[in-house]
Amino acid sequence: MSAVSCTAAVGRPRAFDMQTALEKALDVFWTKGYDGASLSDLTSAMGINKPSLYSAFGNKEQLFLKAIEFYESRPCGFFKPALEQPTAYEVAECMLLGAAKSMSDTSHPQGCVMVQGALSCSEAAAGVKEVLIDRRQQSESEVRDRFELAKNQGDLSKDEDSEALARYLCTVINGIAIQASSGATEKQLVDVAHMALKSFPRNS
Amino acid sequence: MSAVSCTAAVGRPRAFDMQTALEKALDVFWTKGYDGASLSDLTSAMGINKPSLYSAFGNKEQLFLKAIEFYESRPCGFFKPALEQPTAYEVAECMLLGAAKSMSDTSHPQGCVMVQGALSCSEAAAGVKEVLIDRRQQSESEVRDRFELAKNQGDLSKDEDSEALARYLCTVINGIAIQASSGATEKQLVDVAHMALKSFPRNS
DNA sequence: CTTGTATTGTACTAAAGAGTATATAACCCC
DNA sequence: GGGGTTATATACTCTTTAGTACAATACAAG
């Protein structure tokens, strides 16, 4: 009944840190994809047994959804900071360079779990595939909205097609994700980012 | 001993057409990926039983390899014809537009099996993933060589970096593959292709 | 028509998949 | 310290996985 109960400290306390375990699970899904990640892979990476996984996270699908939710909100993410750049061009530049650097970073799996988590997949993964498609579409819409804002702020010509610009940007970033997961180096991807920027309208 | 024996007509004849069955298998791998495609999926799509599959194609991995070999050599492919365009710019244009149209074509699964066949995957698929990475790298090298030829033929400035141009082109195409498999329309992808072309050096 | 060869369908195997039952252990509140 | 509650580890379930054994069948060559 207590409305201020924080973390419900009743019963045997959990012997593992949920956040740490979630990050380990993310690494597994990122590397192997939803279909390719078995519960054995997950539990051994997380350092827990199956009943602990199920009681803490529900099931494999819910674990995946929580993992990508964390992924999108990570402080080291490149997407949200880029949107806060002052001009549309700088948003594109920051996002492309951020993607190139982040996705080739060897301190975590290469590429982007939002892309490679479930691209072509079994029926069992159809749900998470849909979620990933929605999230990517959502991101594209955020970029488009940012470019619409730029038009109003005057740093992007009203003649430009915000939606097409956003789609182009996200397409290149998806391509960078594929290249990164194929082993491309940071320099190679940064070069690609710079080439892609040449297409982007610059005000000055 | 006969050196001219064609198709070895001894024993019970095969009751199905291997090429047709291979094309059905390709569709399954294209849609579900290597990990997501089960033998039941494959045999039912191919209209044969497992022993027929194993005797005709070896095993799941060899079937996949034969399927992508066919995929790459299909007459409707966009890659090889693009390389035969007269100038580097036209190669890029033809390839980007071809990718946009081919990958959104609804007469077969959307996207590109060379990308989505095995991106993030289980250990069981590690071998085919490596093969796909190699093939994509090979394609990139073919584009680079074509641009080197263009330099010699004079339609591409010797100051350009063929390798970087090829990588940029292939990155955008990979991105288009992701967008297509996420449901993007032909028009949307053609727009992306045109935007990407703006970065490409044009002679005239 | 017999013999040899290769394919076919059914039925099987062994392993791995996701998820769960249960008994035990660890904690808080009273 | 006892009762209620929750997490833990082991051991289990049932389904699906990739791959195969085998008997029956269909053809070509002789």
Side-chain angles (χ1 to χ4, degrees), chain A residues 9 11-13 37-39 50-51 54 60:
Chain A
R12 179 171 174 174
S38 72
L39 278 177
K50 279 195 272 186
Y54 278 85
K60 189 184 173 184

PDB file of all heavy atoms in Angstrom, chain A residues 9 11-13 37-39 50-51 54 60, chain C residues 17-21 24-29:
ATOM      1  N   ALA A   9      11.765  -3.742  -1.249  1.00  0.00           N
ATOM      2  CA  ALA A   9      12.785  -4.541  -0.580  1.00  0.00           C
ATOM      3  C   ALA A   9      12.177  -5.633   0.288  1.00  0.00           C
ATOM      4  O   ALA A   9      12.365  -5.662   1.494  1.00  0.00           O
ATOM      5  CB  ALA A   9      13.712  -3.656   0.226  1.00  0.00           C
ATOM      6  N   GLY A  11      11.494  -9.989   0.427  1.00  0.00           N
ATOM      7  CA  GLY A  11      11.932 -11.234  -0.190  1.00  0.00           C
ATOM      8  C   GLY A  11      13.431 -11.254  -0.408  1.00  0.00           C
ATOM      9  O   GLY A  11      14.138 -10.297  -0.141  1.00  0.00           O
ATOM     10  N   ARG A  12      13.883 -12.372  -0.919  1.00  0.00           N
ATOM     11  CA  ARG A  12      15.322 -12.525  -1.165  1.00  0.00           C
ATOM     12  C   ARG A  12      15.806 -11.508  -2.207  1.00  0.00           C
ATOM     13  O   ARG A  12      15.192 -11.366  -3.262  1.00  0.00           O
ATOM     14  CB  ARG A  12      15.585 -13.942  -1.686  1.00  0.00           C
ATOM     15  CG  ARG A  12      17.035 -14.209  -2.001  1.00  0.00           C
ATOM     16  CD  ARG A  12      17.232 -15.684  -2.290  1.00  0.00           C
ATOM     17  NE  ARG A  12      18.567 -15.970  -2.725  1.00  0.00           N
ATOM     18  CZ  ARG A  12      19.031 -17.208  -2.942  1.00  0.00           C
ATOM     19  NH1 ARG A  12      18.234 -18.246  -2.742  1.00  0.00           N
ATOM     20  NH2 ARG A  12      20.258 -17.393  -3.332  1.00  0.00           N
ATOM     21  N   PRO A  13      16.864 -10.827  -1.917  1.00  0.00           N
ATOM     22  CA  PRO A  13      17.327  -9.812  -2.876  1.00  0.00           C
ATOM     23  C   PRO A  13      17.979 -10.459  -4.087  1.00  0.00           C
ATOM     24  O   PRO A  13      18.585 -11.521  -3.998  1.00  0.00           O
ATOM     25  CB  PRO A  13      18.344  -9.005  -2.077  1.00  0.00           C
ATOM     26  CG  PRO A  13      18.846  -9.948  -1.046  1.00  0.00           C
ATOM     27  CD  PRO A  13      17.736 -10.896  -0.730  1.00  0.00           C
ATOM     28  N   ALA A  37      20.728 -15.508 -31.254  1.00  0.00           N
ATOM     29  CA  ALA A  37      21.061 -15.491 -29.825  1.00  0.00           C
ATOM     30  C   ALA A  37      20.217 -16.529 -29.105  1.00  0.00           C
ATOM     31  O   ALA A  37      18.998 -16.395 -29.029  1.00  0.00           O
ATOM     32  CB  ALA A  37      20.810 -14.104 -29.247  1.00  0.00           C
ATOM     33  N   SER A  38      20.848 -17.562 -28.580  1.00  0.00           N
ATOM     34  CA  SER A  38      20.092 -18.574 -27.832  1.00  0.00           C
ATOM     35  C   SER A  38      20.036 -18.186 -26.361  1.00  0.00           C
ATOM     36  O   SER A  38      20.811 -17.365 -25.889  1.00  0.00           O
ATOM     37  CB  SER A  38      20.751 -19.936 -27.982  1.00  0.00           C
ATOM     38  OG  SER A  38      21.951 -19.973 -27.241  1.00  0.00           O
ATOM     39  N   LEU A  39      19.118 -18.805 -25.648  1.00  0.00           N
ATOM     40  CA  LEU A  39      19.028 -18.518 -24.211  1.00  0.00           C
ATOM     41  C   LEU A  39      20.312 -18.918 -23.506  1.00  0.00           C
ATOM     42  O   LEU A  39      20.713 -18.278 -22.531  1.00  0.00           O
ATOM     43  CB  LEU A  39      17.829 -19.229 -23.604  1.00  0.00           C
ATOM     44  CG  LEU A  39      16.519 -18.481 -23.821  1.00  0.00           C
ATOM     45  CD1 LEU A  39      15.346 -19.246 -23.270  1.00  0.00           C
ATOM     46  CD2 LEU A  39      16.586 -17.104 -23.162  1.00  0.00           C
ATOM     47  N   LYS A  50      18.524 -19.501 -16.220  1.00  0.00           N
ATOM     48  CA  LYS A  50      17.309 -19.154 -16.956  1.00  0.00           C
ATOM     49  C   LYS A  50      16.181 -18.632 -16.067  1.00  0.00           C
ATOM     50  O   LYS A  50      15.558 -17.616 -16.411  1.00  0.00           O
ATOM     51  CB  LYS A  50      16.846 -20.350 -17.786  1.00  0.00           C
ATOM     52  CG  LYS A  50      17.621 -20.466 -19.093  1.00  0.00           C
ATOM     53  CD  LYS A  50      16.965 -21.397 -20.065  1.00  0.00           C
ATOM     54  CE  LYS A  50      17.429 -22.824 -19.863  1.00  0.00           C
ATOM     55  NZ  LYS A  50      16.881 -23.725 -20.916  1.00  0.00           N
ATOM     56  N   PRO A  51      15.887 -19.286 -14.939  1.00  0.00           N
ATOM     57  CA  PRO A  51      14.767 -18.760 -14.137  1.00  0.00           C
ATOM     58  C   PRO A  51      14.995 -17.314 -13.697  1.00  0.00           C
ATOM     59  O   PRO A  51      14.046 -16.540 -13.610  1.00  0.00           O
ATOM     60  CB  PRO A  51      14.717 -19.707 -12.941  1.00  0.00           C
ATOM     61  CG  PRO A  51      15.304 -20.969 -13.457  1.00  0.00           C
ATOM     62  CD  PRO A  51      16.390 -20.558 -14.395  1.00  0.00           C
ATOM     63  N   TYR A  54      14.107 -15.171 -16.680  1.00  0.00           N
ATOM     64  CA  TYR A  54      12.666 -15.077 -16.915  1.00  0.00           C
ATOM     65  C   TYR A  54      11.967 -14.251 -15.848  1.00  0.00           C
ATOM     66  O   TYR A  54      11.054 -13.494 -16.146  1.00  0.00           O
ATOM     67  CB  TYR A  54      12.049 -16.478 -17.037  1.00  0.00           C
ATOM     68  CG  TYR A  54      12.235 -17.040 -18.419  1.00  0.00           C
ATOM     69  CD1 TYR A  54      13.408 -17.714 -18.767  1.00  0.00           C
ATOM     70  CD2 TYR A  54      11.274 -16.855 -19.394  1.00  0.00           C
ATOM     71  CE1 TYR A  54      13.591 -18.200 -20.044  1.00  0.00           C
ATOM     72  CE2 TYR A  54      11.459 -17.339 -20.682  1.00  0.00           C
ATOM     73  CZ  TYR A  54      12.622 -18.008 -20.999  1.00  0.00           C
ATOM     74  OH  TYR A  54      12.815 -18.474 -22.270  1.00  0.00           O
ATOM     75  N   LYS A  60      12.439 -13.994 -23.750  1.00  0.00           N
ATOM     76  CA  LYS A  60      13.477 -13.571 -24.695  1.00  0.00           C
ATOM     77  C   LYS A  60      13.081 -12.288 -25.428  1.00  0.00           C
ATOM     78  O   LYS A  60      13.891 -11.359 -25.557  1.00  0.00           O
ATOM     79  CB  LYS A  60      13.728 -14.703 -25.698  1.00  0.00           C
ATOM     80  CG  LYS A  60      14.928 -14.473 -26.595  1.00  0.00           C
ATOM     81  CD  LYS A  60      15.074 -15.597 -27.632  1.00  0.00           C
ATOM     82  CE  LYS A  60      16.165 -15.286 -28.632  1.00  0.00           C
ATOM     83  NZ  LYS A  60      16.261 -16.322 -29.696  1.00  0.00           N
TER      84      LYS A  60
ATOM     85  P    DG C  17      20.908 -23.783 -28.592  1.00  0.00           P
ATOM     86  OP1  DG C  17      21.678 -22.733 -29.288  1.00  0.00           O
ATOM     87  OP2  DG C  17      21.225 -24.167 -27.195  1.00  0.00           O
ATOM     88  O5'  DG C  17      19.364 -23.416 -28.646  1.00  0.00           O
ATOM     89  C5'  DG C  17      18.743 -23.268 -29.919  1.00  0.00           C
ATOM     90  C4'  DG C  17      17.244 -23.239 -29.754  1.00  0.00           C
ATOM     91  O4'  DG C  17      16.768 -24.581 -29.614  1.00  0.00           O
ATOM     92  C3'  DG C  17      16.758 -22.524 -28.501  1.00  0.00           C
ATOM     93  O3'  DG C  17      16.576 -21.148 -28.774  1.00  0.00           O
ATOM     94  C2'  DG C  17      15.403 -23.188 -28.265  1.00  0.00           C
ATOM     95  C1'  DG C  17      15.649 -24.618 -28.746  1.00  0.00           C
ATOM     96  N9   DG C  17      15.974 -25.558 -27.680  1.00  0.00           N
ATOM     97  C8   DG C  17      17.203 -25.846 -27.177  1.00  0.00           C
ATOM     98  N7   DG C  17      17.199 -26.749 -26.244  1.00  0.00           N
ATOM     99  C5   DG C  17      15.868 -27.071 -26.121  1.00  0.00           C
ATOM    100  C6   DG C  17      15.223 -28.003 -25.261  1.00  0.00           C
ATOM    101  O6   DG C  17      15.738 -28.743 -24.409  1.00  0.00           O
ATOM    102  N1   DG C  17      13.843 -28.024 -25.461  1.00  0.00           N
ATOM    103  C2   DG C  17      13.168 -27.252 -26.367  1.00  0.00           C
ATOM    104  N2   DG C  17      11.847 -27.408 -26.415  1.00  0.00           N
ATOM    105  N3   DG C  17      13.753 -26.389 -27.169  1.00  0.00           N
ATOM    106  C4   DG C  17      15.104 -26.348 -26.998  1.00  0.00           C
ATOM    107  P    DA C  18      16.532 -20.149 -27.519  1.00  0.00           P
ATOM    108  OP1  DA C  18      16.700 -18.777 -28.074  1.00  0.00           O
ATOM    109  OP2  DA C  18      17.453 -20.640 -26.481  1.00  0.00           O
ATOM    110  O5'  DA C  18      15.042 -20.297 -26.982  1.00  0.00           O
ATOM    111  C5'  DA C  18      13.951 -20.045 -27.860  1.00  0.00           C
ATOM    112  C4'  DA C  18      12.658 -20.389 -27.154  1.00  0.00           C
ATOM    113  O4'  DA C  18      12.707 -21.761 -26.698  1.00  0.00           O
ATOM    114  C3'  DA C  18      12.380 -19.535 -25.908  1.00  0.00           C
ATOM    115  O3'  DA C  18      11.010 -19.156 -25.892  1.00  0.00           O
ATOM    116  C2'  DA C  18      12.731 -20.458 -24.745  1.00  0.00           C
ATOM    117  C1'  DA C  18      12.424 -21.841 -25.318  1.00  0.00           C
ATOM    118  N9   DA C  18      13.279 -22.879 -24.740  1.00  0.00           N
ATOM    119  C8   DA C  18      14.640 -22.916 -24.725  1.00  0.00           C
ATOM    120  N7   DA C  18      15.146 -23.967 -24.113  1.00  0.00           N
ATOM    121  C5   DA C  18      14.031 -24.672 -23.707  1.00  0.00           C
ATOM    122  C6   DA C  18      13.883 -25.888 -22.996  1.00  0.00           C
ATOM    123  N6   DA C  18      14.922 -26.622 -22.568  1.00  0.00           N
ATOM    124  N1   DA C  18      12.633 -26.319 -22.744  1.00  0.00           N
ATOM    125  C2   DA C  18      11.599 -25.578 -23.181  1.00  0.00           C
ATOM    126  N3   DA C  18      11.613 -24.425 -23.853  1.00  0.00           N
ATOM    127  C4   DA C  18      12.871 -24.019 -24.084  1.00  0.00           C
ATOM    128  P    DG C  19      10.543 -18.039 -24.830  1.00  0.00           P
ATOM    129  OP1  DG C  19       9.334 -17.387 -25.343  1.00  0.00           O
ATOM    130  OP2  DG C  19      11.697 -17.232 -24.426  1.00  0.00           O
ATOM    131  O5'  DG C  19      10.099 -18.954 -23.586  1.00  0.00           O
ATOM    132  C5'  DG C  19       9.010 -19.860 -23.780  1.00  0.00           C
ATOM    133  C4'  DG C  19       8.938 -20.833 -22.633  1.00  0.00           C
ATOM    134  O4'  DG C  19      10.163 -21.613 -22.550  1.00  0.00           O
ATOM    135  C3'  DG C  19       8.754 -20.226 -21.224  1.00  0.00           C
ATOM    136  O3'  DG C  19       7.551 -20.726 -20.684  1.00  0.00           O
ATOM    137  C2'  DG C  19       9.953 -20.722 -20.443  1.00  0.00           C
ATOM    138  C1'  DG C  19      10.292 -22.002 -21.198  1.00  0.00           C
ATOM    139  N9   DG C  19      11.644 -22.499 -20.975  1.00  0.00           N
ATOM    140  C8   DG C  19      12.827 -21.885 -21.315  1.00  0.00           C
ATOM    141  N7   DG C  19      13.881 -22.577 -20.958  1.00  0.00           N
ATOM    142  C5   DG C  19      13.355 -23.713 -20.349  1.00  0.00           C
ATOM    143  C6   DG C  19      14.021 -24.816 -19.755  1.00  0.00           C
ATOM    144  O6   DG C  19      15.233 -25.025 -19.660  1.00  0.00           O
ATOM    145  N1   DG C  19      13.113 -25.749 -19.253  1.00  0.00           N
ATOM    146  C2   DG C  19      11.741 -25.620 -19.309  1.00  0.00           C
ATOM    147  N2   DG C  19      11.027 -26.612 -18.768  1.00  0.00           N
ATOM    148  N3   DG C  19      11.116 -24.597 -19.861  1.00  0.00           N
ATOM    149  C4   DG C  19      11.979 -23.674 -20.355  1.00  0.00           C
ATOM    150  P    DT C  20       6.989 -20.179 -19.265  1.00  0.00           P
ATOM    151  OP1  DT C  20       5.546 -19.976 -19.443  1.00  0.00           O
ATOM    152  OP2  DT C  20       7.846 -19.084 -18.785  1.00  0.00           O
ATOM    153  O5'  DT C  20       7.195 -21.440 -18.318  1.00  0.00           O
ATOM    154  C5'  DT C  20       6.761 -22.715 -18.772  1.00  0.00           C
ATOM    155  C4'  DT C  20       6.997 -23.761 -17.688  1.00  0.00           C
ATOM    156  O4'  DT C  20       8.411 -24.108 -17.653  1.00  0.00           O
ATOM    157  C3'  DT C  20       6.650 -23.323 -16.258  1.00  0.00           C
ATOM    158  O3'  DT C  20       6.075 -24.435 -15.587  1.00  0.00           O
ATOM    159  C2'  DT C  20       8.005 -22.973 -15.665  1.00  0.00           C
ATOM    160  C1'  DT C  20       8.860 -24.045 -16.314  1.00  0.00           C
ATOM    161  N1   DT C  20      10.312 -23.759 -16.366  1.00  0.00           N
ATOM    162  C2   DT C  20      11.179 -24.680 -15.825  1.00  0.00           C
ATOM    163  O2   DT C  20      10.809 -25.718 -15.308  1.00  0.00           O
ATOM    164  N3   DT C  20      12.500 -24.334 -15.910  1.00  0.00           N
ATOM    165  C4   DT C  20      13.030 -23.189 -16.476  1.00  0.00           C
ATOM    166  O4   DT C  20      14.246 -22.985 -16.494  1.00  0.00           O
ATOM    167  C5   DT C  20      12.066 -22.268 -17.019  1.00  0.00           C
ATOM    168  C7   DT C  20      12.542 -21.005 -17.648  1.00  0.00           C
ATOM    169  C6   DT C  20      10.766 -22.592 -16.941  1.00  0.00           C
ATOM    170  P    DA C  21       5.082 -24.159 -14.352  1.00  0.00           P
ATOM    171  OP1  DA C  21       3.699 -24.325 -14.829  1.00  0.00           O
ATOM    172  OP2  DA C  21       5.496 -22.921 -13.671  1.00  0.00           O
ATOM    173  O5'  DA C  21       5.439 -25.395 -13.406  1.00  0.00           O
ATOM    174  C5'  DA C  21       5.725 -26.669 -13.981  1.00  0.00           C
ATOM    175  C4'  DA C  21       6.378 -27.588 -12.942  1.00  0.00           C
ATOM    176  O4'  DA C  21       7.818 -27.387 -12.981  1.00  0.00           O
ATOM    177  C3'  DA C  21       5.960 -27.339 -11.492  1.00  0.00           C
ATOM    178  O3'  DA C  21       5.961 -28.587 -10.805  1.00  0.00           O
ATOM    179  C2'  DA C  21       7.036 -26.402 -10.977  1.00  0.00           C
ATOM    180  C1'  DA C  21       8.275 -26.903 -11.728  1.00  0.00           C
ATOM    181  N9   DA C  21       9.265 -25.860 -12.012  1.00  0.00           N
ATOM    182  C8   DA C  21       9.046 -24.621 -12.552  1.00  0.00           C
ATOM    183  N7   DA C  21      10.128 -23.908 -12.729  1.00  0.00           N
ATOM    184  C5   DA C  21      11.144 -24.738 -12.278  1.00  0.00           C
ATOM    185  C6   DA C  21      12.547 -24.575 -12.209  1.00  0.00           C
ATOM    186  N6   DA C  21      13.174 -23.468 -12.600  1.00  0.00           N
ATOM    187  N1   DA C  21      13.275 -25.597 -11.711  1.00  0.00           N
ATOM    188  C2   DA C  21      12.634 -26.711 -11.314  1.00  0.00           C
ATOM    189  N3   DA C  21      11.323 -26.982 -11.345  1.00  0.00           N
ATOM    190  C4   DA C  21      10.628 -25.950 -11.845  1.00  0.00           C
ATOM    191  P    DT C  24      14.224 -29.118   0.004  1.00  0.00           P
ATOM    192  OP1  DT C  24      14.936 -30.313   0.484  1.00  0.00           O
ATOM    193  OP2  DT C  24      12.983 -28.652   0.662  1.00  0.00           O
ATOM    194  O5'  DT C  24      15.260 -27.904  -0.041  1.00  0.00           O
ATOM    195  C5'  DT C  24      16.370 -27.961  -0.954  1.00  0.00           C
ATOM    196  C4'  DT C  24      16.985 -26.579  -1.095  1.00  0.00           C
ATOM    197  O4'  DT C  24      16.075 -25.697  -1.801  1.00  0.00           O
ATOM    198  C3'  DT C  24      17.300 -25.888   0.234  1.00  0.00           C
ATOM    199  O3'  DT C  24      18.624 -25.372   0.173  1.00  0.00           O
ATOM    200  C2'  DT C  24      16.257 -24.780   0.315  1.00  0.00           C
ATOM    201  C1'  DT C  24      16.086 -24.438  -1.159  1.00  0.00           C
ATOM    202  N1   DT C  24      14.841 -23.724  -1.507  1.00  0.00           N
ATOM    203  C2   DT C  24      14.927 -22.530  -2.195  1.00  0.00           C
ATOM    204  O2   DT C  24      15.988 -22.035  -2.528  1.00  0.00           O
ATOM    205  N3   DT C  24      13.714 -21.937  -2.476  1.00  0.00           N
ATOM    206  C4   DT C  24      12.463 -22.405  -2.151  1.00  0.00           C
ATOM    207  O4   DT C  24      11.460 -21.785  -2.457  1.00  0.00           O
ATOM    208  C5   DT C  24      12.443 -23.657  -1.435  1.00  0.00           C
ATOM    209  C7   DT C  24      11.138 -24.256  -1.012  1.00  0.00           C
ATOM    210  C6   DT C  24      13.620 -24.255  -1.149  1.00  0.00           C
ATOM    211  P    DA C  25      19.378 -24.946   1.540  1.00  0.00           P
ATOM    212  OP1  DA C  25      20.669 -25.669   1.557  1.00  0.00           O
ATOM    213  OP2  DA C  25      18.444 -25.041   2.678  1.00  0.00           O
ATOM    214  O5'  DA C  25      19.683 -23.412   1.274  1.00  0.00           O
ATOM    215  C5'  DA C  25      20.162 -23.008   0.000  1.00  0.00           C
ATOM    216  C4'  DA C  25      19.945 -21.517  -0.177  1.00  0.00           C
ATOM    217  O4'  DA C  25      18.553 -21.250  -0.487  1.00  0.00           O
ATOM    218  C3'  DA C  25      20.261 -20.679   1.066  1.00  0.00           C
ATOM    219  O3'  DA C  25      20.985 -19.534   0.654  1.00  0.00           O
ATOM    220  C2'  DA C  25      18.891 -20.312   1.619  1.00  0.00           C
ATOM    221  C1'  DA C  25      18.077 -20.206   0.332  1.00  0.00           C
ATOM    222  N9   DA C  25      16.641 -20.415   0.507  1.00  0.00           N
ATOM    223  C8   DA C  25      16.016 -21.449   1.150  1.00  0.00           C
ATOM    224  N7   DA C  25      14.709 -21.372   1.126  1.00  0.00           N
ATOM    225  C5   DA C  25      14.454 -20.207   0.413  1.00  0.00           C
ATOM    226  C6   DA C  25      13.257 -19.561   0.043  1.00  0.00           C
ATOM    227  N6   DA C  25      12.047 -20.027   0.345  1.00  0.00           N
ATOM    228  N1   DA C  25      13.351 -18.412  -0.669  1.00  0.00           N
ATOM    229  C2   DA C  25      14.575 -17.955  -0.967  1.00  0.00           C
ATOM    230  N3   DA C  25      15.769 -18.478  -0.678  1.00  0.00           N
ATOM    231  C4   DA C  25      15.636 -19.604   0.022  1.00  0.00           C
ATOM    232  P    DA C  26      21.887 -18.739   1.726  1.00  0.00           P
ATOM    233  OP1  DA C  26      23.234 -18.621   1.129  1.00  0.00           O
ATOM    234  OP2  DA C  26      21.684 -19.328   3.052  1.00  0.00           O
ATOM    235  O5'  DA C  26      21.223 -17.288   1.716  1.00  0.00           O
ATOM    236  C5'  DA C  26      21.230 -16.516   0.516  1.00  0.00           C
ATOM    237  C4'  DA C  26      20.221 -15.394   0.642  1.00  0.00           C
ATOM    238  O4'  DA C  26      18.891 -15.948   0.698  1.00  0.00           O
ATOM    239  C3'  DA C  26      20.382 -14.527   1.894  1.00  0.00           C
ATOM    240  O3'  DA C  26      20.404 -13.168   1.506  1.00  0.00           O
ATOM    241  C2'  DA C  26      19.153 -14.849   2.743  1.00  0.00           C
ATOM    242  C1'  DA C  26      18.139 -15.238   1.670  1.00  0.00           C
ATOM    243  N9   DA C  26      17.072 -16.140   2.127  1.00  0.00           N
ATOM    244  C8   DA C  26      17.212 -17.321   2.802  1.00  0.00           C
ATOM    245  N7   DA C  26      16.071 -17.915   3.076  1.00  0.00           N
ATOM    246  C5   DA C  26      15.108 -17.069   2.522  1.00  0.00           C
ATOM    247  C6   DA C  26      13.705 -17.139   2.465  1.00  0.00           C
ATOM    248  N6   DA C  26      12.993 -18.143   2.986  1.00  0.00           N
ATOM    249  N1   DA C  26      13.055 -16.134   1.838  1.00  0.00           N
ATOM    250  C2   DA C  26      13.782 -15.122   1.325  1.00  0.00           C
ATOM    251  N3   DA C  26      15.105 -14.954   1.316  1.00  0.00           N
ATOM    252  C4   DA C  26      15.725 -15.972   1.934  1.00  0.00           C
ATOM    253  P    DC C  27      21.239 -12.100   2.336  1.00  0.00           P
ATOM    254  OP1  DC C  27      21.986 -11.278   1.373  1.00  0.00           O
ATOM    255  OP2  DC C  27      21.942 -12.828   3.432  1.00  0.00           O
ATOM    256  O5'  DC C  27      20.094 -11.208   3.016  1.00  0.00           O
ATOM    257  C5'  DC C  27      19.494 -10.202   2.247  1.00  0.00           C
ATOM    258  C4'  DC C  27      17.991 -10.173   2.460  1.00  0.00           C
ATOM    259  O4'  DC C  27      17.448 -11.482   2.623  1.00  0.00           O
ATOM    260  C3'  DC C  27      17.508  -9.478   3.740  1.00  0.00           C
ATOM    261  O3'  DC C  27      17.513  -8.071   3.528  1.00  0.00           O
ATOM    262  C2'  DC C  27      16.093 -10.008   3.870  1.00  0.00           C
ATOM    263  C1'  DC C  27      16.090 -11.282   3.006  1.00  0.00           C
ATOM    264  N1   DC C  27      15.569 -12.477   3.731  1.00  0.00           N
ATOM    265  C2   DC C  27      14.202 -12.737   3.709  1.00  0.00           C
ATOM    266  O2   DC C  27      13.444 -11.971   3.093  1.00  0.00           O
ATOM    267  N3   DC C  27      13.710 -13.813   4.353  1.00  0.00           N
ATOM    268  C4   DC C  27      14.551 -14.630   5.014  1.00  0.00           C
ATOM    269  N4   DC C  27      14.020 -15.692   5.635  1.00  0.00           N
ATOM    270  C5   DC C  27      15.953 -14.391   5.062  1.00  0.00           C
ATOM    271  C6   DC C  27      16.425 -13.305   4.416  1.00  0.00           C
ATOM    272  P    DC C  28      17.248  -7.053   4.756  1.00  0.00           P
ATOM    273  OP1  DC C  28      17.748  -5.718   4.358  1.00  0.00           O
ATOM    274  OP2  DC C  28      17.764  -7.701   5.987  1.00  0.00           O
ATOM    275  O5'  DC C  28      15.651  -6.986   4.856  1.00  0.00           O
ATOM    276  C5'  DC C  28      14.896  -6.565   3.718  1.00  0.00           C
ATOM    277  C4'  DC C  28      13.435  -6.441   4.088  1.00  0.00           C
ATOM    278  O4'  DC C  28      12.895  -7.757   4.351  1.00  0.00           O
ATOM    279  C3'  DC C  28      13.172  -5.608   5.343  1.00  0.00           C
ATOM    280  O3'  DC C  28      12.030  -4.776   5.130  1.00  0.00           O
ATOM    281  C2'  DC C  28      12.922  -6.645   6.439  1.00  0.00           C
ATOM    282  C1'  DC C  28      12.349  -7.830   5.668  1.00  0.00           C
ATOM    283  N1   DC C  28      12.759  -9.158   6.236  1.00  0.00           N
ATOM    284  C2   DC C  28      11.780 -10.135   6.495  1.00  0.00           C
ATOM    285  O2   DC C  28      10.592  -9.888   6.251  1.00  0.00           O
ATOM    286  N3   DC C  28      12.164 -11.321   7.018  1.00  0.00           N
ATOM    287  C4   DC C  28      13.459 -11.561   7.266  1.00  0.00           C
ATOM    288  N4   DC C  28      13.802 -12.754   7.769  1.00  0.00           N
ATOM    289  C5   DC C  28      14.463 -10.583   7.007  1.00  0.00           C
ATOM    290  C6   DC C  28      14.076  -9.406   6.502  1.00  0.00           C
ATOM    291  P    DC C  29      11.598  -3.694   6.224  1.00  0.00           P
ATOM    292  OP1  DC C  29      11.012  -2.538   5.494  1.00  0.00           O
ATOM    293  OP2  DC C  29      12.702  -3.493   7.173  1.00  0.00           O
ATOM    294  O5'  DC C  29      10.410  -4.471   6.974  1.00  0.00           O
ATOM    295  C5'  DC C  29       9.339  -5.002   6.199  1.00  0.00           C
ATOM    296  C4'  DC C  29       8.367  -5.745   7.099  1.00  0.00           C
ATOM    297  O4'  DC C  29       8.937  -7.019   7.498  1.00  0.00           O
ATOM    298  C3'  DC C  29       8.004  -5.014   8.401  1.00  0.00           C
ATOM    299  O3'  DC C  29       6.609  -5.119   8.617  1.00  0.00           O
ATOM    300  C2'  DC C  29       8.802  -5.762   9.467  1.00  0.00           C
ATOM    301  C1'  DC C  29       8.823  -7.178   8.897  1.00  0.00           C
ATOM    302  N1   DC C  29       9.998  -7.987   9.332  1.00  0.00           N
ATOM    303  C2   DC C  29       9.811  -9.311   9.783  1.00  0.00           C
ATOM    304  O2   DC C  29       8.659  -9.779   9.811  1.00  0.00           O
ATOM    305  N3   DC C  29      10.886 -10.036  10.178  1.00  0.00           N
ATOM    306  C4   DC C  29      12.108  -9.500  10.125  1.00  0.00           C
ATOM    307  N4   DC C  29      13.140 -10.259  10.518  1.00  0.00           N
ATOM    308  C5   DC C  29      12.323  -8.168   9.680  1.00  0.00           C
ATOM    309  C6   DC C  29      11.252  -7.449   9.305  1.00  0.00           C
TER     310       DC C  29
END
